[in-house]
Amino acid sequence: MPKMYGWVREVVPESLADQAGVMPGDLLRTINGHLVRDLVDFQFYAADEELMLGIERQERPLQVLLARAQGEELGIIFGEEPAPYIRICANKCVFCFVKGLPERHSAQRGLPLGMRESLYIKDDDYRYSFLFGGFITLTNLKEADWERLEEQRLSPLFVSVHTTNPELRRKMVDGPRSGEVIDHLKRLGGIGISCHTQLVICPGMNDGEEIDRSLRDLAALRPTVESVSVVPVGLTKFNNMVRAQGLPTLRQHTVAEARAVVERVRGWQERLAAEPDSHGLPFAYLSDEWYYLTGEPFPPARHYGSYAQIENGVGMTRKLLNDWQRERRAITPAARPQRIAFITGTMAQPVIGRLASDLGKRTGHDVRVVTVTNGFFGPLVTVAGLLCGQDVLDAIAERCADMTQDDLILMPRVMLDVAGKRFLDDITVEQLRERVRPRVVFTRTAAEVFAAIGSPAEMPAGVA
C-alpha cells in the first residue's frame, strides 16, 4: 500500500465540502476510485464535475458524493503542504545550496544556530516543481514517475540543466543519469510537457563556449524548452573556494568575467529574438544579479515577456521599477512626515536607494536605506532573501536607534519562510517586533509599500 496524503485540517464554511458533510480530521483516501497520494493527485482528480470522495473518519470508511461547477473550489484545506513524502535529491551538485549552510548544531556569535530543519532537506521533487516552480534535475525519475507525468500532464516543470555537455554535467551534478539531460528533455516533450530551464554558471566550469553549447542545444528543443535563465553561482563563506574532484575551485565571478557572460548571452538573445515565431522574446534570460554585478542597465519590461522565471530572480528588479513608476502617481505630500527605513541587502542597495530618495522627495518623509551585510552566511551573499533575523536586528539597532513607535520599517517579504513567520535563522517575526520600536511591515510589491506608508487599516490583505 503506497503512503497516503489527505488529512483534512480545515473545511471552508458554506463550501461544497462543508455542505456535503466533510469534516476536519477526515482522511481523504480516494477521488472517484483513484488513490490520493499528494496534492497533485487531489488537484488532478478533483477537476471532474462529479466527485465521489472516499473518506476515512475515525477508522470508519465513508463515501461523500458532490457536484462542482467548473473552477469551483471544494473548500478542503489539508494538513500537509504539498506532500508529506518529499523526493530527496540523490545528486552531489558542486554548488548545492545545502553545502553552503553551516554545520548543523554549530553556533554563531554565541547564539544557538537554530536554522530551520527544512533548509537541510535536499529536494529534487517533480511535484514541487509543478506546484511551486522548484528546479529539479530529472535524474531521479523512475518509470512510474514518467507514467504519472504522462497521465497527469504536469506542465510546465522547472529543470536545472547547468550544461548540456554530458561529461561536464556528470561532474557538476554527480548523480544518477546526470549526463542524459537532453534525452530527458526530449522525453518530456514527447509526452506533451514543457519546461523552463536554468544554467547556474560557475567560473571556469560551464562558462565561455560551454554557454554557447548549452544555449544552442536548448534552443533546438523549443517549444519543449520555453526559456533558459542564466544565473551566477551563489556561494556562502561555508562553501566559497571549495574544490570538487576534477573541477576548478568554486568562486564568485569577477566583474570582468560577469561582463563576458553578459556579452555572450546578449549575443544569443539578439539572434534568438530575431527568429520566426520568437515573438521578439530572447528565450535566454540573464538573472538580475548580472546587471547588478556589471552595472549594465536592466532591460525594459517587454524583454521579459510574461516574467516566467521571476521567482528565479529574472526580471524582478525591472518589475519593481515599473510598478513603482505606476504606483507613485497617486502619492501626495504627507500631512505628518515620519521616519521610514527600507531594509535591503547589499546587492539591491543602489535601486532601493533611488526609490527611497524618490519617496522622500514626493512625500516629505525622512526616508533612509538600511543596507544589511550578511554576517551569518558571509559578505559574498548579497541578496535580501538570504538575510537572517539577527543580522537585520543588528543593523536596525545601529541605524534606526532614533526611530520611535510612530515610525515605519519596511522589509522585503522574501526574507521570511512560506508562512511569513520566520527568518532563515529561525528568529520569528514576533521576536523581531518585540525588539524593534517602529512599526514593521513586510512587503512584496510597490503597491504594498505605498499602502504600508498609510494607516494600517489601508493595507491590503496579506501585508504583515
Side-chain angles (χ1 to χ4, degrees):
M1 174 71 70
K3 295 178 178 179
M4 306 290 273
Y5 163 89
W7 172 66
V8 178
R9 187 178 77 237
E10 297 178 40
V11 178
V12 177
E14 305 302 322
S15 65
L16 285 176
D18 186 35
Q19 294 171 14
V22 180
M23 299 175 61
D26 287 347
L27 184 63
L28 177 62
R29 291 287 191 178
T30 63
I31 298 177
N32 291 342
H34 299 285
L35 289 175
V36 178
R37 295 162 291 185
D38 49 42
L39 185 57
V40 174
D41 275 348
F42 173 75
Q43 292 184 343
F44 183 74
Y45 295 122
D48 293 338
E49 294 182 358
E50 292 189 2
L51 304 173
M52 178 66 75
L53 307 184
I55 287 174
E56 184 179 303
R57 179 177 298 163
Q58 297 179 347
E59 300 184 356
R60 184 166 60 93
L62 299 171
Q63 288 192 322
V64 175
L65 179 65
L66 51 84
R68 58 183 287 278
Q70 186 173 9
E72 187 175 9
E73 297 290 339
L74 295 187
I76 296 176
I77 302 174
F78 293 105
E80 316 95 343
E81 297 291 350
Y85 309 107
I86 189 170
R87 182 73 60 84
I88 300 300
C89 181
N91 304 314
K92 300 175 184 176
C93 290
V94 62
F95 47 80
C96 176
F97 174 77
V98 175
K99 292 181 180 178
L101 297 177
E103 291 286 337
R104 297 168 73 171
H105 311 304
S106 65
Q108 296 277 329
R109 293 191 296 269
L111 298 172
L113 182 58
M115 297 287 285
R116 293 203 306 271
E117 187 75 19
S118 60
L119 292 175
Y120 290 87
I121 297 174
K122 290 173 57 179
D123 69 279
D124 195 15
D125 199 312
Y126 67 92
R127 299 169 300 173
Y128 276 54
S129 184
F130 171 69
L131 291 168
F132 302 114
F135 280 88
I136 57 175
T137 62
L138 301 177
T139 61
N140 63 2
L141 296 181
K142 302 177 177 63
E143 280 305 311
D145 300 319
W146 285 104
E147 291 170 4
R148 184 180 183 188
L149 285 166
E150 183 172 9
E151 176 198 4
Q152 298 181 344
R153 292 291 195 276
L154 304 183
S155 182
L157 298 178
F158 292 77
V159 180
S160 287
V161 173
H162 307 317
T163 177
T164 58
N165 180 333
E167 182 179 353
L168 179 58
R169 193 170 193 261
R170 289 188 192 100
K171 292 180 181 179
M172 293 185 68
V173 175
D174 191 12
R177 300 180 296 281
S178 301
E180 302 171 20
V181 65
I182 292 295
D183 291 337
H184 290 151
L185 293 172
K186 289 179 178 178
R187 187 169 182 179
L188 287 178
I191 58 178
I193 293 176
S194 64
C195 59
H196 298 280
T197 63
Q198 72 167 349
L199 308 175
V200 174
I201 304 301
C202 302
M205 292 188 200
N206 59 338
D207 53 359
E209 292 183 359
E210 292 294 344
I211 292 178
D212 295 332
R213 174 174 180 160
S214 295
L215 293 181
R216 184 184 303 109
D217 290 346
L218 293 173
L221 295 179
R222 292 173 294 176
T224 296
V225 177
E226 295 188 23
S227 70
V228 184
S229 60
V230 180
V231 182
V233 64
L235 302 173
T236 74
K237 66 184 180 184
F238 302 103
N239 66 341
N240 182 46
M241 303 305 290
V242 169
R243 185 180 181 87
Q245 187 172 4
L247 291 171
T249 301
L250 270 179
R251 60 178 178 81
Q252 290 196 319
H253 292 81
T254 65
V255 174
E257 289 169 337
R259 286 179 177 148
V261 171
V262 170
E263 287 304 311
R264 187 175 295 269
V265 174
R266 187 174 287 157
W268 279 97
Q269 290 174 333
E270 293 171 356
R271 291 194 294 273
L272 293 169
E275 291 184 359
D277 302 323
S278 70
H279 305 290
L281 296 177
F283 177 70
Y285 297 90
L286 291 156
S287 66
D288 290 7
E289 295 103 311
W290 298 107
Y291 300 104
Y292 284 111
L293 279 169
T294 62
E296 294 284 333
F298 292 93
R302 63 178 179 275
H303 171 88
Y304 295 102
S306 62
Y307 290 95
Q309 294 217 36
I310 193 168
E311 296 300 326
N312 202 27
V314 176
M316 194 173 288
T317 303
R318 169 49 61 198
K319 192 172 189 309
L320 172 63
L321 292 171
N322 281 23
D323 289 350
W324 184 277
Q325 289 297 318
R326 183 180 63 252
E327 298 293 336
R328 72 197 284 267
R329 298 169 187 166
I331 295 298
T332 57
R336 185 176 62 85
Q338 61 179 320
R339 285 177 286 252
I340 299 173
F342 283 87
I343 307 295
T344 188
T346 55
M347 184 180 74
Q349 191 280 332
V351 168
I352 300 301
R354 284 166 47 194
L355 302 186
S357 177
D358 180 56
L359 179 65
K361 291 176 181 178
R362 296 181 68 85
T363 63
H365 291 306
D366 176 5
V367 186
R368 69 190 70 172
V369 176
V370 177
T371 305
V372 183
T373 300
N374 201 315
F376 193 94
F377 288 113
L380 292 176
V381 178
T382 60
V383 296
L386 291 178
L387 288 174
C388 292
Q390 187 58 52
D391 287 328
V392 172
L393 282 168
D394 290 345
I396 290 174
E398 180 181 348
R399 298 284 309 282
C400 302
D402 60 329
M403 297 178 72
T404 71
Q405 65 270 19
D406 296 323
D407 298 322
L408 173 65
I409 293 178
L410 295 167
M411 300 190 194
R413 171 63 175 77
V414 72
M415 291 180 178
L416 305 178
D417 61 7
V418 174
K421 295 181 179 180
R422 294 179 180 274
F423 290 84
L424 287 171
D425 56 355
D426 224 28
I427 288 178
T428 67
V429 171
E430 289 74 15
Q431 289 171 334
L432 181 135
R433 284 181 169 143
E434 287 172 359
R435 296 172 59 181
V436 174
R437 280 184 294 175
R439 180 165 60 100
V440 175
V441 177
F442 293 87
T443 62
R444 293 184 180 89
T445 65
E448 291 180 356
V449 168
F450 289 123
I453 293 169
S455 67
E458 297 172 350
M459 288 191 292
V463 179

